[in-house]
Amino acid sequence: MLLCTILGRRRLQRVLYQTSWNAYFVLFPPFAVLLITSLAILSLWPEILMLKSSTSAHYGANSTKDFKVREDLKESLLCSSLLELSCDCNGTHQRSVLSPSRLQIKTRSCSPYHNWEGFNADYQEMLKKLKIFVYPDVSMNNESSPFARIFLPHPDPTDPRVGNYFSEHAFKRALLRSSFVTQHPEKAHFFFMPFSINAMRNHPLLRSESFISDFVANYVMRISSEFQFWNVSGGADHFFVCCHSVGREAASKHITLRNNAIQVTCSSSYFQRLYSAHKDIALPQVWPRHSDKVLNPPNARNKLVFFAGRVQNSGIRQQLLTLWANDSSFDIFSGHPSFPYEEGFRRSKYCLHIKGYEVNTARVSDAIHYGCIPVMISNYYDLPFANILDWSKFSIIVNQADVALLKHILTSVSEQTYLNLYRNLCMVRKHFKWHADPVSYDAFHMTAYELWLRRGLHRLVT
């Protein structure tokens, strides 16, 4: 009886033991799944917080949200392959789904901007606050003075005869139609002296550099006597615009104008004696155009290099011609090419900018306009918008001493690097365009932003 009782207890314990382990086996799989899932979430938690923060900051900037989305999308597409991009480089993208993490990584290494976020935030502030007073000469009657046309806007700055000096007239026209102009000079950050060097160069009573510099000196003396604004800052918040080669001497006979006022000029070279990089502004030299054409894609560009221009006044151009004129991959011409000028830009991968009589030419903006990577072989050139744009991301800069290595340098550029340069060039094209009515981020607004960076001058108390 006792033995039966003991055996019965042991059997009962064995059954209970087996039952408890069966329960553990049933519960183990879901517990393991839950544990693994929890560990995965914990490992990804920092990235989730960063994504949440980035998304919140992105949508918090209401004033720039729409444009920021478009710009971030463009920048995130830069480093993808051309087939994946499906971009026509005229402003349309056929693929638009990208992960935020990829966007954050790519924009830092591939963006053509030094700091897009910082620039764009300050740019939006400029749109709200920048004020410019234009001296009233710009509204004088055509019959009131023989020099009226020197101050009045050009009747048709897109006339091809304006040529390389289009930017000078385009800036004035855009400024007078912008929201920056104020009729309250006491609120102005800057004061615009609206004389045109190009108009003086073609005026029958002026023409020469000496007469032009006399006219400009007398003009400054007049406004400083009629208005108090020049004397308040010593001219440091005044500016004038010129894109003619004689314009570099316009301020030569008025020492305060030369030393203090801001020169917005195409002749932005360090070896020009009256150009001061710390105060003056490089203006993009643009040829007048009425419309854009669809860009040739990279695979339609069968020439490596294009250049056409006078070589008589440039030793570096003569050296280039001697080295590469007979190379079949180079289209190099002394003077006009044997085909339409724009065709050279459209069918070439790289287009050369080489110092002639002046360091500046419209070839840089021509190359950008037609989607040809600019190659700079001009030392001492202060590139337009260099505070904002990283030129190394959409152009190639070669020292003049290395011109003999030009072909080696260009053929050493990998296909992927070239595609990145090309995409970045597509992104910055809008900054080198002028419009009759200013368009945000165009050449006018970018030049105005360069002025904005020079605001905050200390003025004397009157």
Side-chain angles (χ1 to χ4, degrees):
M1 186 66 176
L2 179 62
L3 180 61
C4 290
T5 302
I6 294 172
L7 291 176
R9 287 181 178 176
R10 289 182 177 179
R11 184 176 180 182
L12 179 61
Q13 289 175 351
R14 189 182 302 113
V15 170
L16 293 173
Y17 179 77
Q18 291 175 348
T19 303
S20 63
W21 272 105
N22 287 339
Y24 293 148
F25 284 126
V26 171
L27 293 175
F28 179 76
F31 176 77
V33 171
L34 180 61
L35 179 63
I36 293 172
T37 303
S38 300
L39 292 174
I41 291 174
L42 288 174
S43 66
L44 293 174
W45 189 247
E47 295 186 19
I48 294 173
L49 289 177
M50 183 174 65
L51 175 58
K52 181 179 179 181
S53 175
S54 174
T55 304
S56 299
H58 175 72
Y59 287 101
N62 293 328
S63 62
T64 63
K65 180 178 67 175
D66 293 337
F67 184 85
K68 185 71 167 59
V69 170
R70 294 195 299 270
E71 285 301 312
D72 281 347
L73 175 59
K74 289 179 182 178
E75 291 184 350
S76 66
L77 287 164
L78 294 178
C79 297
S80 59
S81 69
L82 191 63
L83 291 176
E84 183 182 1
L85 179 66
S86 300
C87 174
D88 63 11
C89 284
N90 289 281
T92 58
H93 295 281
Q94 296 174 24
R95 280 191 62 144
S96 60
V97 180
L98 288 167
S99 65
S101 58
R102 182 181 181 185
L103 181 151
Q104 291 171 352
I105 294 170
K106 298 302 184 184
T107 55
R108 293 172 185 168
S109 60
C110 299
S111 172
Y113 301 92
H114 292 299
N115 181 349
W116 164 256
E117 288 78 10
F119 157 64
N120 191 44
D122 198 33
Y123 176 90
Q124 298 299 328
E125 189 76 4
M126 176 199 73
L127 294 181
K128 298 175 184 176
K129 295 184 177 180
L130 177 60
K131 295 300 176 185
I132 298 173
F133 178 77
V134 180
Y135 280 102
D137 309 85
V138 78
S139 58
M140 66 167 54
N141 187 283
N142 284 326
E143 300 177 356
S144 64
S145 167
F147 300 110
R149 70 178 185 177
I150 290 172
F151 298 101
L152 295 173
H154 195 286
D156 182 18
T158 59
D159 186 334
R161 290 174 295 181
V162 173
N164 286 326
Y165 317 116
F166 170 60
S167 292
E168 179 180 316
H169 300 289
F171 178 90
K172 182 190 293 185
R173 179 179 64 170
L175 174 61
L176 295 178
R177 298 185 181 189
S178 76
S179 61
F180 298 146
V181 174
T182 179
Q183 302 301 321
H184 304 283
E186 67 278 2
K187 298 180 179 179
H189 297 90
F190 296 99
F191 297 81
F192 177 48
M193 298 174 286
F195 53 77
S196 167
I197 304 296
N198 183 233
M200 292 186 208
R201 188 69 180 88
N202 295 295
H203 197 285
L205 299 178
L206 297 175
R207 292 185 177 276
S208 73
E209 291 187 19
S210 179
F211 285 169
I212 290 173
S213 58
D214 284 336
F215 183 93
V216 171
N218 290 330
Y219 175 78
V220 174
M221 292 175 63
R222 176 169 66 82
I223 63 170
S224 63
S225 62
E226 292 182 6
F227 303 90
Q228 62 176 333
F229 316 120
W230 176 276
N231 301 318
V232 169
S233 66
D237 52 6
H238 284 56
F239 71 97
F240 65 96
V241 178
C242 65
C243 218
H244 201 290
S245 57
V246 301
R248 64 180 185 271
E249 295 292 323
S252 61
K253 295 184 179 179
H254 194 290
I255 188 169
T256 310
L257 175 69
R258 181 178 67 196
N259 292 338
N260 295 357
I262 300 169
Q263 181 185 187
V264 182
T265 179
C266 297
S267 299
S268 53
S269 173
Y270 297 146
F271 71 78
Q272 298 288 2
R273 69 185 183 94
L274 297 186
Y275 180 79
S276 300
H278 71 278
K279 71 176 181 66
D280 295 334
I281 293 173
L283 184 70
Q285 190 164 343
V286 178
W287 191 269
R289 296 185 182 89
H290 289 281
S291 61
D292 287 343
K293 293 183 178 179
V294 175
L295 295 185
N296 275 1
N299 58 10
R301 298 175 181 270
N302 54 14
K303 285 291 183 179
L304 181 66
V305 169
F306 172 68
F307 173 81
R310 295 181 60 187
V311 301
Q312 292 84 349
N313 56 0
S314 172
I316 193 70
R317 291 184 182 183
Q318 293 173 13
Q319 183 182 3
L320 179 83
L321 194 67
T322 301
L323 288 169
W324 311 114
N326 297 321
D327 192 307
S328 60
S329 63
F330 280 55
D331 272 341
I332 303 290
F333 299 92
S334 175
H336 296 289
S338 57
F339 44 81
Y341 182 67
E342 69 173 49
E343 187 61 27
F345 290 94
R346 290 177 57 80
R347 72 186 190 184
S348 303
K349 295 177 66 176
Y350 301 99
C351 293
L352 306 186
H353 168 81
I354 311 168
K355 179 186 178 299
Y357 178 70
E358 293 282 348
V359 70
N360 58 287
T361 72
R363 287 183 183 85
V364 177
S365 59
D366 285 341
I368 293 172
H369 178 78
Y370 292 111
C372 187
I373 305 301
V375 179
M376 311 294 182
I377 316 178
S378 296
N379 297 357
Y380 318 115
Y381 183 29
D382 197 8
L383 293 164
F385 316 139
N387 292 318
I388 308 156
L389 302 178
D390 183 350
W391 281 77
S392 68
K393 299 297 177 60
F394 59 92
S395 70
I396 293 178
I397 300 173
V398 178
N399 192 288
Q400 289 179 187
D402 295 329
V403 68
L405 303 174
L406 178 62
K407 187 171 184 178
H408 172 73
I409 291 171
L410 297 182
T411 54
S412 298
V413 176
S414 69
E415 181 181 1
Q416 187 59 55
T417 299
Y418 171 76
L419 294 178
N420 291 341
L421 292 170
Y422 181 79
R423 293 187 201 100
N424 285 344
L425 189 69
C426 293
M427 289 180 63
V428 303
R429 286 178 77 226
K430 60 179 174 289
H431 302 315
F432 295 84
K433 295 180 181 179
W434 295 96
H435 301 89
D437 295 308
V439 175
S440 196
Y441 300 97
D442 67 358
F444 168 73
H445 281 94
M446 294 291 282
T447 305
Y449 181 74
E450 291 284 2
L451 278 170
W452 175 252
L453 292 176
R454 289 156 175 78
R455 71 194 184 281
L457 300 170
H458 294 288
R459 301 186 185 183
L460 302 174
V461 177
T462 58

